[in-house]
């Protein structure tokens, strides 16, 4: 049974999330403020965290940043704030996905399952695939999930690594945002552009010598992105 931590100060919303997840046979723990939620996350053995952004004590942005320093499990932001800057900030701090309030409980469950499935797939080594992919100054070791640029190891979050790996495996193929979202996040894109764009920009910051003029991850105007071999 997979274990979910809900960090949410609205008891009614937390109860809805809990009840629907229980029906799907998840084990659920609830915390109602940022500090206790962070402590439970670090002390417990959870498979995924649902994190509200507007929390008493320590806000969700801070909780996400601190948890990501120690945990690599999926973190899904749940937020009533619709401004793209808040979504971009949360994703930039290491959240894997976000869900806007008000939400359909069935959509929440689907997003939870999709992120868990993608995380499990990422952790499963494909022994039929090459252990190392080398393109230019970039080396990706698919066995250890380590990435090197000019022989220096760089640190990537889960979705950053998976996005880079998928694009490198499909070098010189133009991939639109919908395809990338469905492949990496495991859900229909549902009009979501911010998630992919934020992760692309973070990847460029880490692997490109000049992120403003990228050598590898190129934007194809009106079509999507291409990883240039």
């Amino acid at each position: 049974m997979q274990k979910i931590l809900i960090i949410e100060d609205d008891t009614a919303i937390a109860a809805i999330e809990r009840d629907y997840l229980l029906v799907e046979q998840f084990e659920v723990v609830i915390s109602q403020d940022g500090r206790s939620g962070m402590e439970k996350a670090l002390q417990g053995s959870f498979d995924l965290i649902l994190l509200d952004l507007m929390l008493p004590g320590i806000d969700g942005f801070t909780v996400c940043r601190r948890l990501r320093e120690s945990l690599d499990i999926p973190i899904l932001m749940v937020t009533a704030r619709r401004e793209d800057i808040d979504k971009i900030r949360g994703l930039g701090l290491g959240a894997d996905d976000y869900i806007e309030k008000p939400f359909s409980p069935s959509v929440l469950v689907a997003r939870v399952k999709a992120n868990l499935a993608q995380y499990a797939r990422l952790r499963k080594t494909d022994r039929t695939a090459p252990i190392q992919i080398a393109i230019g100054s970039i080396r990706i070791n698919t066995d250890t999930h380590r990435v090197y640029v000019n022989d220096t190891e760089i640190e990537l979050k889960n979705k950053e690594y998976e996005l880079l790996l998928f694009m490198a495996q499909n070098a010189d193929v133009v991939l639109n945002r919908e395809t990338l979202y469905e492949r990496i996040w495991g859900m229909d894109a549902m009009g979501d552009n911010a998630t992919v764009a934020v992760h692309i920009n973070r990847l460029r910051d880490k692997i490109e010598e000049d992120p403003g003029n990228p050598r590898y991850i190129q934007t194809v105007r009106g079509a999507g992105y291409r990883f240039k071999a």
Side-chain angles (χ1 to χ4, degrees), residues 170-187:
N170 293 275
D172 292 324
V173 176
V174 177
L175 302 165
N176 62 36
R177 290 181 177 181
E178 290 76 15
T179 297
L180 291 172
Y181 190 87
E182 291 168 11
R183 177 62 175 76
I184 306 305
W185 282 264
M187 292 284 291

Side-chain angles (χ1 to χ4, degrees), residues 10 35 49 59 94 114 178 187 195:
D10 187 317
R35 187 174 300 280
I49 297 171
D59 65 62
E178 290 76 15
M187 292 284 291
T195 301

Side-chain angles (χ1 to χ4, degrees), residues 3-42:
K3 192 173 179 181
I4 309 295
L5 174 63
I6 297 172
I7 308 178
E8 169 66 67
D9 64 319
D10 187 317
T11 56
I13 292 177
I16 291 172
E17 294 175 344
R18 178 199 61 206
D19 291 347
Y20 274 81
L21 290 169
L22 288 174
V23 168
E24 297 296 328
Q25 303 301 307
F26 290 105
E27 181 180 351
V28 181
V29 175
I30 296 175
S31 181
Q32 293 184 316
D33 66 85
R35 187 174 300 280
S36 65
M38 188 164 55
E39 291 173 354
K40 287 180 180 178
L42 294 174

